[in-house]
Amino acid sequence: MKETNDGSACRHSAPASAAGAGSHVSRTKTTVSVEALSNHPCEPLKRRRRGLRSSVTAFIRRWREYDLHKLSVGIGRVLLWPFPDSVYLRLGYRVFFGTWPDYRHPRSFNEHIHEYMLRCRDPMLSIPADKIESRHYIAERVGADVLVPLLGVWDRPEDVPLSTLPRPLVLKPTAASGLVLIVRAEDELNEDEVRDQMRRWLRRCYSQVNREWCYRGVPRRLMAETMLSDDCGGLPPDHKAYVIGGKVRFLQVDRGRFDQHTRNVYDPQWNPLPARWTLQNHEPDLCPACLPRMIELAEILAEPFEFLRVDFYVIGQQLYIGELTNYPGAGFERFIPSDYAWEIGKFWTGRPRSEDR
């Protein structure tokens, strides 16, 4: 009887003729055990047990790291799941902002975003929702030189060649927001856990999570891009331009997205706005030399849209476009003081009158 690594016992019975085989048995014993190992009846059971242990370990780790606020939000989403989009967003708005929204006569920036989510059914909205289609759109409108290098696109986690992809890289789903996995050159990956994470990404339907219509029908795939880095080898700040009614109305700069996330907001002349946008501020940012080009590209890309956010990275003298966004934060970002959301909302003009919801 041989004790396996998972504590199970596997019995091996020797042929009756082996007793008199002498040294021939010793020469063939190792060969037989090695060749038969992969086909041994115990091996599938051992693989299943290893997979189960890996899944349980990953679940325990995720639970320990879980944000209880996210848990409460998740419970709220489940409870509101049966309600229509307008009710779902109204109740979410009331809980998050403390007031009831007026989607029939929106005034604040957040009300406009929700009203846009409920009203506009332009098929063009599927382009920013699909990170691959948005790359094609960006290349056609302003040129492919501003795109972050693409390493591959896959339909299934099993197809992603994790061990051979050039590093550093960023893995993410093509139809989602805020879900990324950064893989640096020195990182040791547990491929089973990474593929489990990618499966969770693909199961997440953003047309239901916050009722973001633009994701409806968009194929959910996986992609990898080269990780951009600043002069110190860290992640570069995100520059995001908000285009309302064809013009950039304000910009935000995010730093430390995966550590201590901070954010500054500026007007198109790079003057700090007298408000915060959800997060704490950091030290003032230097005005990028490419700001006029950034604004120009954002307005070109946003021309067919009532609203669009365009995300940029500045690496030395090179300007890259990360992605396009229809509904930032699904309308659940917060200006502090809250009255400033009305100031930004004044830019949202010329829209068709929405129906009573």
Side-chain angles (χ1 to χ4, degrees), residues 35-104:
E35 292 177 350
L37 184 60
S38 60
N39 296 321
H40 194 275
C42 288
E43 281 303 303
L45 178 60
K46 291 166 62 178
R47 286 196 295 270
R48 287 196 296 270
R49 288 179 175 175
R50 284 196 296 268
L52 179 60
R53 283 200 301 270
S54 177
S55 298
V56 170
T57 301
F59 174 80
I60 293 172
R61 188 188 68 256
R62 291 196 303 272
W63 175 256
R64 288 172 176 170
E65 297 173 352
Y66 204 77
D67 186 337
L68 292 181
H69 172 70
K70 291 181 179 179
L71 178 62
S72 63
V73 170
I75 292 173
R77 285 171 176 162
V78 171
L79 294 176
L80 292 175
W81 192 271
F83 291 97
D85 294 352
S86 59
V87 175
Y88 183 99
L89 290 176
R90 280 181 189 278
L91 291 174
Y93 192 103
R94 177 66 177 84
V95 170
F96 190 80
F97 295 106
T99 61
W100 290 104
D102 184 353
Y103 295 148
R104 190 178 183 187

Side-chain angles (χ1 to χ4, degrees), residues 48-312:
R48 287 196 296 270
R49 288 179 175 175
R50 284 196 296 268
L52 179 60
R53 283 200 301 270
S54 177
S55 298
V56 170
T57 301
F59 174 80
I60 293 172
R61 188 188 68 256
R62 291 196 303 272
W63 175 256
R64 288 172 176 170
E65 297 173 352
Y66 204 77
D67 186 337
L68 292 181
H69 172 70
K70 291 181 179 179
L71 178 62
S72 63
V73 170
I75 292 173
R77 285 171 176 162
V78 171
L79 294 176
L80 292 175
W81 192 271
F83 291 97
D85 294 352
S86 59
V87 175
Y88 183 99
L89 290 176
R90 280 181 189 278
L91 291 174
Y93 192 103
R94 177 66 177 84
V95 170
F96 190 80
F97 295 106
T99 61
W100 290 104
D102 184 353
Y103 295 148
R104 190 178 183 187
H105 305 96
R107 294 177 60 197
S108 74
F109 180 61
N110 306 91
E111 287 176 324
H112 278 291
I113 290 291
H114 279 185
E115 193 274 342
Y116 188 46
M117 291 167 64
L118 293 168
R119 167 179 54 82
C120 187
R121 296 296 179 259
D122 187 343
M124 283 286 291
L125 294 180
S126 66
I127 293 175
D130 187 330
K131 291 179 173 56
I132 301 303
E133 287 302 314
S134 65
R135 289 177 62 91
H136 299 323
Y137 174 77
I138 292 167
E140 291 173 0
R141 297 282 295 192
V142 299
D145 60 306
V146 296
L147 293 173
V148 179
L150 180 67
L151 302 177
V153 181
W154 305 272
D155 293 323
R156 304 184 310 155
E158 295 78 12
D159 298 333
V160 182
L162 293 172
S163 61
T164 58
L165 283 173
R167 299 185 182 188
L169 62 92
V170 176
L171 281 169
K172 52 188 171 181
T174 62
S177 176
L179 301 179
V180 298
L181 176 65
I182 296 171
V183 183
R184 293 178 171 84
E186 66 276 11
D187 289 343
E188 294 184 5
L189 287 185
N190 182 320
E191 293 196 11
D192 289 337
E193 291 186 10
V194 172
R195 295 188 199 280
D196 283 344
Q197 181 174 355
M198 290 189 286
R199 291 185 190 97
R200 292 194 298 274
W201 287 348
L202 295 182
R203 287 195 297 267
R204 192 176 178 90
C205 179
Y206 270 70
S207 66
Q208 291 296 321
V209 169
N210 279 319
R211 309 305 171 95
E212 297 178 78
W213 177 86
C214 64
Y215 289 103
R216 193 166 299 173
V218 173
R220 282 174 263 171
R221 296 171 287 179
L222 301 159
M223 65 185 294
E225 293 176 329
T226 299
M227 189 191 89
L228 303 178
S229 58
D230 58 20
D231 294 338
C232 300
L235 294 174
D238 296 67
H239 295 71
K240 304 174 188 286
Y242 289 72
V243 187
I244 309 172
K247 296 292 183 181
V248 171
R249 306 300 183 176
F250 72 98
L251 303 100
Q252 75 182 52
V253 179
D254 283 23
R255 294 183 180 274
R257 281 185 60 199
F258 306 101
D259 185 13
Q260 296 181 345
H261 195 178
T262 57
R263 174 179 297 159
N264 287 350
V265 282
Y266 302 91
D267 69 14
Q269 290 73 45
W270 210 250
N271 300 307
L273 296 186
R276 291 192 288 116
W277 185 222
T278 301
L279 303 175
Q280 294 292 331
N281 295 131
H282 51 255
E283 291 298 314
D285 304 280
L286 293 176
C287 178
C290 58
L291 179 62
R293 177 64 173 161
M294 189 184 297
I295 292 175
E296 178 189 12
L297 293 181
E299 292 178 351
I300 291 173
L301 292 170
E303 191 275 330
F305 300 91
E306 191 173 325
F307 167 83
L308 191 69
R309 194 189 77 191
V310 184
D311 298 358
F312 295 93

